[in-house]
Amino acid sequence: MLRKFIHRVFKRGEHKPLHLPGKADATVLPVAQHGIHREQVSSGARRTCETLQQGGFKAYIVGGAVRDLIAGIHPKDYDVATNATPDQVRNLFRRSRIIGRRFQIVHVMQGGETLEVSTFRGAHTEETLKDEHGRVLRDNVWGSMSDDAARRDFTVNALYYDPSAETVHDYHHGVADLKQKVLRMIGEPKARYREDPVRMLRAVRLSAKLNLELDPAVREPIRAMASLIENVPPARLFDEMLKLLFSGHAVECVKRLRDDGLHHGVLPLLDVILEQPMGEKFVMLALESTDQRVREGKAVSPSYLFATLLWHEVLANWEARKTRGEVAIPALYEAMDEVLDLQAEKLAITRRIAGDIKEIWALQPRFEKRAGKTPYRLLELPRFRAGYDFLCLRAQSGEIDDDIAQWWERFQEADGPAREALLVPDSGPRKRRRRRRSNSKSDGGSGGNGGGNDRQDAHGSTDKEEPASTPGDAPGGE
Ligand code: ATP
Ligand code: MG
């Protein structure tokens, strides 16, 4: 097997690359042209390159970090590309481990940083294994630095920074494109989308993040080719969606996804959600607050965000079930499962995340209960905070009366007798009728759009059976 592998690596040069631009020579740019001083680079990335270079290998910081530094953005992590094989890298760093099966890369730990070190990859050839749509299935051949550059997606991502020399090796005029604010594909965009449809999502995400115009050749084929995203394995799509939603530019990304007709392939229901005025407001509020949290460096939770993205689907499904005469709470659980199952076909929402999402949803009707022991019990739940934030977002979007969110805020702040005094007498349906009246006059004042939605009545008034516990046994904690 080893012999076969070595044979494949060394045979590589015998195959002509298919559509990729021929092997380009890099333009080597000095600091004056790219502006990156080595002190701007993390010490871990610098040390990793130095150690590899001292070991006799080439080593460069590559990809997003170089692009971001030139664009004046603080890189979130660093990738290193080298001509050393994974074993050779492993031998140079005590704190390192080889990961990945098909194409091995090495994680090198430097202080608190983890650097991803990959061996230059080879260009695709006639032998590259693809599916029937042209998507590359196996991609595990090493190559030269220029091969490696040609395989990258956009010109701005094929930049190699040498911290020792403070030079940038630019194979495809990425620095010029970055300065002109254009996102340009390396090679022929249609062929590159066929090889990997995720590049369409990356185009949207990177253009939003860096405020770049899509080159017309990058943009034009997207609408027609968007359906290729359906062939992407769900786990990969899920990762890519997380990157997009947690990029700090989610609002802009979603707008661009919609403009380019890409939202259909990604979250099958995102288009439906965005077509419902209430749903759109809710989703946009959630994305705005996520963007803000990301930009402030605060923690963000995938479960919470997916719960918001899919909530109005759950509501619509739940409503339909109740109209058909199903009992409220079991109907809610059925609706949650149906919505999540549909998404799971496209996005591999992990079981743990699905469990957390359901907990957040299942808490919502429980917030209606403001009598007896229920509110105390809810406060103790690990998902209370997420559920409460979700409730506030519903109020803010105008879906429900702001009274409930305000009541829960007061209830959390109060203690002892003051807390007890807030409890509503447990008078069953009468209490709910009172709330229904206040519903029509309230506009919340905290961003509610005054849309006069009567959905709250729809859940509140039928909320007879309180679930014994929140669904999903997934552990709490984000
Ligand atoms: P960011 O880190 O800001 O999310 P990035 O461009 O660094 O963006 P990564 O997923 O970290 O994205 O990828 C690192 C590099 O690997 C990219 O800059 C690009 O050169 C290359 N790359 C990533 N995905 C692809 C792809 N689908 N096709 C070709 N090259 C890719
Ligand atoms: Mg990156």
Side-chain angles (χ1 to χ4, degrees):
M1 199 178 127
L2 184 65
R3 197 175 310 150
K4 215 164 123 196
F5 184 59
I6 292 171
H7 180 65
R8 201 160 49 202
V9 171
F10 287 99
K11 234 174 77 176
R12 203 209 71 252
E14 291 168 28
H15 300 287
K16 277 192 249 78
L18 287 181
H19 57 271
L20 291 176
K23 288 188 186 179
D25 283 330
T27 312
V28 182
L29 305 173
V31 179
Q33 285 179 46
H34 57 73
I36 309 174
H37 295 273
R38 71 172 71 85
E39 306 75 52
Q40 290 169 261
V41 170
S42 78
S43 58
R46 251 182 293 158
R47 261 185 285 141
T48 305
C49 288
E50 275 163 23
T51 306
L52 282 161
Q53 288 170 350
Q54 282 157 11
F57 300 104
K58 290 185 180 179
Y60 301 89
I61 296 162
V62 66
V66 185
R67 176 199 69 209
D68 289 356
L69 282 166
I70 296 176
I73 299 171
H74 185 71
K76 64 175 164 42
D77 48 32
Y78 287 84
D79 297 321
V80 171
T82 178
N83 60 348
T85 63
D87 285 329
Q88 288 169 328
V89 177
R90 173 79 189 84
N91 287 338
L92 284 172
F93 299 93
R94 204 169 44 83
R95 291 179 62 221
S96 66
R97 62 164 187 271
I98 295 181
I99 59 159
R101 274 164 295 160
R102 286 207 323 245
F103 191 90
Q104 294 187 325
I105 58 169
V106 187
H107 275 178
V108 172
M109 274 67 80
Q110 299 269 22
E113 277 184 77
T114 300
L115 290 302
E116 210 167 280
V117 181
S118 40
T119 307
F120 295 142
R121 292 196 197 188
H124 298 137
T125 68
E126 286 135 12
E127 280 202 342
T128 305
L129 191 63
K130 296 181 176 174
D131 75 2
E132 76 268 28
H133 306 281
R135 191 170 67 82
V136 172
L137 296 173
R138 204 161 297 148
D139 189 9
N140 51 359
V141 180
W142 296 330
S144 67
M145 185 164 158
S146 74
D147 286 341
D148 187 88
R151 281 193 19 127
R152 292 178 185 270
D153 44 8
F154 303 104
T155 61
V156 298
N157 284 344
L159 300 172
Y160 298 73
Y161 179 69
D162 178 347
S164 317
E166 291 192 316
T167 49
V168 165
H169 294 238
D170 182 355
Y171 284 86
H172 299 280
H173 310 291
V175 173
D177 285 344
L178 200 49
K179 292 197 170 151
Q180 281 157 23
K181 299 213 148 281
V182 191
L183 193 68
R184 208 184 303 278
M185 187 74 84
I186 298 171
E188 210 273 298
K190 285 188 191 144
R192 308 285 333 260
Y193 289 146
R194 263 194 297 278
E195 280 174 4
D196 183 5
V198 161
R199 289 175 184 147
M200 292 184 256
L201 292 174
R202 289 179 52 85
V204 171
R205 173 166 68 87
L206 294 175
S207 72
K209 171 175 173 175
L210 295 147
N211 196 19
L212 303 180
E213 277 293 320
L214 293 184
D215 171 34
V218 167
R219 176 173 214 155
E220 187 272 321
I222 291 183
R223 198 169 284 273
M225 297 183 84
S227 63
L228 287 180
I229 294 202
E230 286 167 22
N231 307 318
V232 175
R236 172 118 197 272
L237 207 49
F238 184 66
D239 284 350
E240 205 53 42
M241 272 314 281
L242 286 188
K243 279 193 181 182
L244 191 144
L245 295 169
F246 294 138
S247 64
H249 303 270
V251 169
E252 189 55 34
C253 282
V254 167
K255 280 187 189 151
R256 289 180 189 220
L257 280 178
R258 191 159 39 168
D259 290 349
D260 287 326
L262 264 177
H263 54 292
H264 294 280
V266 184
L267 279 171
L269 301 172
L270 197 55
D271 48 342
V272 184
I273 297 164
L274 295 176
E275 274 156 23
Q276 301 169 11
M278 294 301 280
E280 166 152 14
K281 177 133 204 252
F282 184 71
V283 166
M284 285 301 167
L285 281 171
L287 293 178
E288 273 164 27
S289 85
T290 305
D291 281 350
Q292 199 176 334
R293 289 185 69 89
V294 171
R295 290 178 197 193
E296 288 168 1
K298 292 186 182 159
V300 281
S301 139
S303 348
Y304 182 83
L305 190 58
F306 279 104
T308 58
L309 290 179
L310 299 173
W311 174 240
H312 277 258
E313 280 309 303
V314 173
L315 277 184
N317 189 309
W318 189 21
E319 285 307 314
R321 286 173 182 277
K322 284 188 289 187
T323 309
R324 291 201 297 267
E326 292 183 32
V327 182
I329 296 302
L332 170 61
Y333 282 44
E334 292 288 333
M336 297 192 308
D337 283 339
E338 196 173 310
V339 168
L340 280 173
D341 285 348
L342 194 61
Q343 296 299 317
E345 288 170 19
K346 287 278 163 57
L347 284 175
I349 295 180
T350 60
R351 283 169 77 93
R352 211 203 106 180
I353 290 181
D356 291 351
I357 293 173
K358 286 199 225 173
E359 281 188 61
I360 294 171
W361 287 341
L363 271 171
Q364 300 310 307
R366 303 184 76 192
F367 284 120
E368 305 270 335
K369 282 237 170 188
R370 289 175 279 172
K373 293 202 172 61
T374 306
Y376 292 96
R377 281 208 301 267
L378 293 195
L379 280 183
E380 301 304 319
L381 294 176
R383 291 258 126 214
F384 172 80
R385 186 73 217 178
Y388 166 72
D389 287 346
F390 196 90
L391 183 81
C392 292
L393 205 62
R394 292 172 64 208
Q396 224 185 325
S397 74
E399 181 213 323
I400 54 165
D401 191 343
D402 203 38
D403 277 2
I404 301 189
Q406 282 176 14
W407 185 89
W408 275 98
E409 190 184 347
R410 287 198 300 277
F411 190 70
Q412 287 173 79
E413 280 164 6
D415 48 18
R419 185 174 272 181
E420 204 175 321
L422 283 167
L423 292 175
V424 177
D426 198 358
S427 51
R430 238 187 22 239
K431 168 193 69 182
R432 296 187 184 101
R433 247 178 261 127
R434 255 206 318 275
R435 222 184 298 143
R436 183 185 295 227
R437 268 203 304 278
S438 70
N439 207 15
S440 58
K441 64 174 166 45
S442 166
D443 188 12
S446 67
N449 66 2
N453 191 322
D454 53 14
R455 262 190 177 138
Q456 181 204 7
D457 301 328
H459 354 142
S461 61
T462 40
D463 180 25
K464 294 203 180 69
E465 316 74 2
E466 190 190 332
S469 67
T470 49
D473 297 317
E478 284 159 24

